[in-house]
Amino acid sequence: MNQIFVNAKKVLVLLAEMSDDMRSRIIHEVANSIITHQTDLLDANSDDLSRMDPESPIYDRLKLTTKRLKDIADSMHTVADMPSPVRRVVQHKVLPNGLDLLRQSVPYGVIGVIYEARPNVTFDVFSLCYKSGNACILKGGKDAQATNEAAVALIQEVLHRYSPTAYACQLMPATHEATAELLQARGYVDLCIPRGGKKLIEFVRDNAKVPCIETGAGVVHTFFDKSGDTDMGAAIINNAKTRRPAVCNSLDTLLIHELRLNDLPKLCAPLTAHQVRIYADEAALKALSGNYPAELLHEADDTTWDTEWMDYAMGVRTVHGMGEALQHISDHGSGHSECIITDDATRALQFQRLVDAACVYWNASTAFTDGGQFGLGAEIGISTQKLGPRGPMGIESLVTTKWIIHGHGQIRE
């Protein structure tokens, strides 16, 4: 594993000397190879899927299809065509002593990414890192090992064909030991980004000796306010919960204003098509009893409000007003995505101003928290921290800066 780190560090010089046009061309070629080699990728993915329970919510996240491979390739083409974020002038000034100061964007260097059963991440991370002049070291989960190996082999085959930069994308073994090595690779890894559930992110945060960006874990809320539109609310809640329940932007807790409890059955009615389990407080449970399948109704407990379900399940809590909704989100939210459904613009703007999260929605599904949807081409993760990038991270988030100083003999007194 140490050789992986050494090789990644060495390739940075080659990446720095490569033109943006060449990097873009190579990303396009990898995207094209995804389509021409889709049978190999689907076969490897089927091998992984055969070892997983089809009823697991993670099964859908792991599964590749012809359509999903095309979407991945299209996303890579988009990234390749985006302007380079490297060597941009961020700041320029000349000091009174004549020193010419230029602040310029530069790649981070070697970026390690730890992720679970998310095969699209392999291609997303490669395209974003390569476009921004970074090398990437990937540490996937064992559930997707065959898929990840096939994907990295495809990427490296293209890199071998067009440049001596095959080590710009490397895959580590799917072991806990490999995770520990990556997190402690000081001097080799410049930044580590975890993509996965709460346990993975907490493990990375607690054990990393290299700089990290916390991403992904999302306890997501939607607050249905007293002036919310019922039809709109039902559509937004259903989409946020059931579109892809195993992803981090899916709805976990519905907060409903006490004056709208009579509308709760209508708001939740579309969820029955996906057999969504509801864990409700006493007032919400009473409103839903007889109006929602009894076998899907459960009483909330102390763990409900802090749960990232990643499944067809969600909590429902009654609140007395905006203040209680804001307090609940402050106590139980993870800083990912929050939403208010209301026709009152003043209250909506107040909610957006006071909620502490990376993405705060008014009358729209939290399912839009995604790099592609935000026009970033793809994302390397969704940052929930405040230091550094926040929210969906595209290529603009994968550069840092350095100062370039020109002088003509100045010395400091």
Side-chain angles (χ1 to χ4, degrees), residues 276-287:
V276 174
R277 306 186 308 278
I278 290 179
Y279 297 80
D281 66 7
E282 184 178 355
L285 199 62
K286 182 177 179 181

Side-chain angles (χ1 to χ4, degrees), residues 152-378:
V152 172
L154 181 152
I155 292 168
Q156 290 186 336
E157 189 278 327
V158 174
L159 292 176
H160 272 301
R161 197 186 328 151
Y162 288 95
S163 74
T165 59
Y167 293 134
C169 179
Q170 299 178 85
L171 181 68
M172 298 188 75
T175 63
H176 294 300
E177 292 77 13
T179 301
E181 290 282 345
L182 184 59
L183 294 178
Q184 297 177 38
R186 295 180 62 183
Y188 294 107
V189 175
D190 298 288
L191 180 66
C192 185
I193 302 174
R195 289 195 59 172
K198 183 178 180 180
K199 289 183 178 179
L200 171 63
I201 292 168
E202 288 180 346
F203 178 83
V204 169
R205 181 187 62 210
D206 295 341
N207 293 275
K209 292 184 178 179
V210 298
C212 290
I213 293 178
E214 291 187 42
T215 70
V219 178
V220 176
H221 302 84
T222 291
F223 171 41
F224 189 79
D225 195 19
K226 60 183 179 180
S227 65
D229 181 275
T230 309
D231 290 334
M232 178 193 293
I236 289 174
I237 291 164
N238 182 54
N239 180 257
K241 178 67 266 179
T242 67
R243 178 186 171 272
R244 293 193 72 184
V247 296
C248 58
N249 58 29
S250 64
L251 175 61
D252 294 298
T253 299
L254 170 64
L255 303 174
I256 183 166
H257 197 290
E258 61 180 354
L259 298 179
R260 299 302 300 273
L261 277 172
N262 288 338
D263 294 292
L264 186 56
K266 186 174 181 179
L267 291 172
C268 294
L271 302 175
T272 59
H274 291 274
Q275 298 287 288
V276 174
R277 306 186 308 278
I278 290 179
Y279 297 80
D281 66 7
E282 184 178 355
L285 199 62
K286 182 177 179 181
L288 288 169
S289 295
N291 298 297
Y292 198 83
E295 68 275 13
L296 298 175
L297 276 180
H298 306 273
E299 185 176 350
D301 59 28
D302 292 340
T303 67
T304 298
W305 316 126
D306 295 307
T307 299
E308 183 184 15
W309 296 101
M310 305 187 78
D311 197 356
Y312 290 107
M314 74 176 193
V316 178
R317 181 178 177 183
T318 309
V319 294
H320 300 301
M322 171 83 77
E324 191 172 350
L326 291 170
Q327 188 60 53
H328 179 98
I329 292 171
S330 176
D331 292 341
H332 303 283
S334 60
H336 193 291
S337 299
E338 310 292 357
C339 168
I340 183 173
I341 300 171
T342 183
D343 288 339
D344 189 325
T346 300
R347 288 172 67 83
L349 295 175
Q350 179 188 17
F351 181 89
Q352 291 182 306
R353 184 175 69 252
L354 297 179
V355 165
D356 185 11
C359 302
V360 188
Y361 292 83
W362 172 19
N363 290 346
S365 169
T366 56
F368 286 106
T369 302
D370 173 87
Q373 293 295 313
F374 278 22
L376 305 181

Side-chain angles (χ1 to χ4, degrees), residues 94-129:
V94 179
L95 301 182
N97 63 7
L99 283 179
D100 191 303
L101 274 63
L102 194 71
R103 193 180 183 195
Q104 193 176 63
S105 62
V106 295
Y108 272 106
V110 178
I111 297 178
V113 180
I114 303 171
Y115 55 111
E116 295 170 333
R118 307 162 187 255
N120 63 296
V121 172
T122 303
F123 292 110
D124 289 345
V125 170
F126 163 72
S127 61
L128 291 167
C129 286

Side-chain angles (χ1 to χ4, degrees), residues 107-108 111 128-129 132 134 193 380 393-400:
Y108 272 106
I111 297 178
L128 291 167
C129 286
S132 54
N134 295 286
I193 302 174
I380 200 167
M393 298 167 55
I395 57 173
E396 298 290 344
S397 300
L398 298 183
V399 292
T400 182

